[in-house]
Amino acid sequence: MNTIPAYLRPNGDIGIRNHLLIIPTVICSNQVCNRIMQSVPDTVAIPHQHGCSQIGADKDRTFDVLAGTGKNPNVGGVIIISLGCEVVDPKRLAEEIRKTGKPVEWFDIQSVGGSVKAIGHGVELAKRMKAELDKQPQTDVPLSKLKVGVKCGGSDATSGLASNPALGAAADRLIAEGGGIVIGETTEIIGAEHVLAERCASEMTKEKLYHIVDRFEKEVDRMGADMRGGNPSPGNIAGGLTTIEEKSLGCISKCGTAPIEGVIEYAERIPDHGLYFMDSPGNDIECVSGMAAGGAHIVCFTTGLGTPTGAAVVPVIKITGNPGTFRHMEDNMDVDVSEILSGSFSLSEAGDRIWQEIVEVAGGKLTKAEILGHQEFSINRIGPSL
């Protein structure tokens, strides 16, 4: 049985990283969180622009993404820092994350006495919590415990021809091991949703897949916009993609061939085994942040044109099928599968190469994005600010 070293969480989850996460409940807390992260090595902050002037579903989404990110199994402990007057309740947020059994602390800047005192208090707290996390041992766990997100961005013609189908082969292998795969990007399946629908394991799942596509298209219509104005993007078109359908048919190949067991909402917890679709935007960072909030351990990200972004609490493996992109952006790319296009590499061999990278990263190898300090984080919005 294939195994990887991991951190066992009190609720039975396993983590392949052991981050101390610093969460601002509101944009007003961002600078304090960033200064604490800068002062205590190997901590991660997730600054964002939300947490205030939000109501209803939009407020709930911000809460859910922050809570889900704190619950992510790669996070060993959490510090929550609020201002003291925002709509996101820090006490409730702490209680939600504590359900995992991991240590969670919180305080607000107003009560502590301002930014300088809050930074000092947070640094001492972070040092103490980080010292405890560093004592936690790892134990070998089966690869079947892994949940991997599959994502593409900065696509060109090589994405649909090489890197996406190669990632699909690796996705099939993880599912065969008993692991979980989540694919997102509702915008990136339009025109090919019927292909995915035929792979749904139940009629209910098929109906939900069609529902989320219809919901998105109606929202675009409500805004008086045309999807074709931004999808494919100018970069996609320059890379050889000409229509939404052409792009979508290439995009969906990255999730392999397994049946789709269910459709979940943005940032909803990803089930443990099988293939799932998460309703999420095509925006790279918002999509990956949703997957991380849902509990993904790793995200595999294919790109033809090249993109450097990573994520706050999950390693992001960058895969390209474009040999020029791998040469020119080698400091950002992890895996090159361009030999598929030259005929010197089979799809199966390319899938094996990606699979080996997944195993090594799950075992502790740092991705290029991690080495370069890419910790991007963004929350998908629903409504306007008040």
Side-chain angles (χ1 to χ4, degrees):
M1 179 175 63
N2 291 318
T3 62
I4 52 170
Y7 300 94
L8 295 181
R9 305 303 181 200
N11 65 346
D13 285 345
I14 64 102
I16 63 168
R17 301 292 187 266
N18 203 27
H19 296 301
L20 176 60
L21 180 65
I22 305 169
I23 301 178
T25 57
V26 65
I27 188 173
C28 311
S29 307
N30 283 352
Q31 179 65 354
V32 169
C33 291
N34 283 335
R35 290 293 299 276
I36 295 168
M37 178 183 68
Q38 292 162 6
S39 301
V40 183
D42 300 322
T43 59
V44 178
I46 49 171
H48 59 90
Q49 70 184 75
H50 308 307
C52 196
S53 303
Q54 293 179 285
I55 59 172
D58 209 42
K59 180 185 74 172
D60 293 342
R61 170 159 291 183
T62 295
F63 181 93
D64 290 344
V65 174
L66 295 178
T69 307
K71 290 179 175 181
N72 184 284
N74 291 346
V75 174
V78 177
I79 299 174
I80 298 167
I81 302 174
S82 69
L83 175 59
C85 56
E86 61 271 34
V87 299
V88 172
D89 182 346
K91 181 178 180 181
R92 178 170 162 251
L93 184 62
E95 290 171 349
E96 183 63 29
I97 297 172
R98 282 196 191 108
K99 291 177 181 179
T100 62
K102 65 184 67 174
V104 182
E105 300 288 345
W106 74 273
F107 64 89
D108 69 75
I109 296 168
Q110 291 168 348
S111 296
V112 170
S115 293
V116 174
K117 293 177 182 176
I119 292 167
H121 178 68
V123 166
E124 291 306 311
L125 191 58
K127 286 180 178 178
R128 186 166 66 249
M129 293 181 71
K130 185 68 173 61
E132 290 301 313
L133 288 184
D134 289 343
K135 297 176 185 177
Q136 292 183 357
Q138 290 179 292
T139 188
D140 288 341
V141 301
L143 280 168
S144 59
K145 295 284 189 180
L146 275 184
K147 300 177 189 178
V148 174
V150 293
K151 171 80 176 77
C152 58
S155 300
D156 67 1
T158 69
S159 298
L161 293 171
S163 55
N164 283 342
L167 178 54
D172 282 343
R173 183 160 177 179
L174 179 60
I175 289 175
E177 289 271 349
I181 293 288
V182 62
I183 179 175
E185 302 179 279
T186 305
T187 55
E188 309 291 288
I189 68 168
I190 292 175
E193 65 269 31
H194 61 290
V195 179
L196 288 181
E198 290 306 309
R199 290 172 50 189
C200 289
S202 70
E203 193 64 30
M204 183 180 299
T205 298
K206 180 187 293 188
E207 289 175 0
K208 189 167 184 182
L209 184 70
Y210 279 128
H211 168 70
I212 63 170
V213 171
D214 181 65
R215 182 171 65 186
F216 174 78
E217 290 184 317
K218 285 178 178 176
E219 181 62 16
V220 172
D221 288 342
R222 185 190 67 79
M223 295 170 61
D226 181 354
M227 272 289 294
R228 291 162 185 79
N231 195 5
S233 69
N236 295 152
I237 294 169
L241 301 176
T242 60
T243 66
I244 295 173
E245 293 82 4
E246 187 176 66
K247 184 179 180 183
S248 295
L249 287 167
C251 284
I252 64 174
S253 64
K254 63 180 178 281
C255 68
T257 60
I260 298 172
E261 303 294 341
V263 175
I264 58 178
E265 296 292 338
Y266 182 75
E268 185 178 346
R269 182 177 171 88
I270 303 162
D272 291 338
H273 309 292
L275 173 62
Y276 290 82
F277 187 93
M278 176 180 285
D279 182 25
S280 53
N283 179 279
D284 295 342
I285 300 168
E286 290 183 2
C287 181
V288 172
S289 296
M291 290 176 170
H297 295 97
I298 294 172
V299 170
C300 290
F301 192 124
T302 64
T303 178
L305 301 173
T307 176
T309 53
V313 299
V314 299
V316 177
I317 298 172
K318 289 294 175 56
I319 304 157
T320 187
N322 187 321
T325 296
F326 189 82
R327 285 195 306 271
H328 292 302
M329 297 188 68
E330 192 170 357
D331 52 349
N332 299 113
M333 299 294 110
D334 296 291
V335 183
D336 177 13
V337 293
S338 61
E339 292 101 324
I340 292 177
L341 300 177
S342 66
S344 57
F345 225 44
S346 70
L347 180 61
S348 176
E349 289 172 317
D352 287 344
R353 179 176 289 181
I354 295 172
W355 171 252
Q356 185 59 38
E357 188 73 12
I358 291 172
V359 173
E360 291 180 10
V361 169
K365 177 184 177 181
L366 296 180
T367 65
K368 298 287 185 66
E370 288 180 292
I371 292 168
L372 292 172
H374 281 285
Q375 297 176 343
E376 286 80 9
F377 174 81
S378 184
I379 301 170
N380 177 244
R381 287 291 297 263
I382 298 173
S385 298
L386 299 181

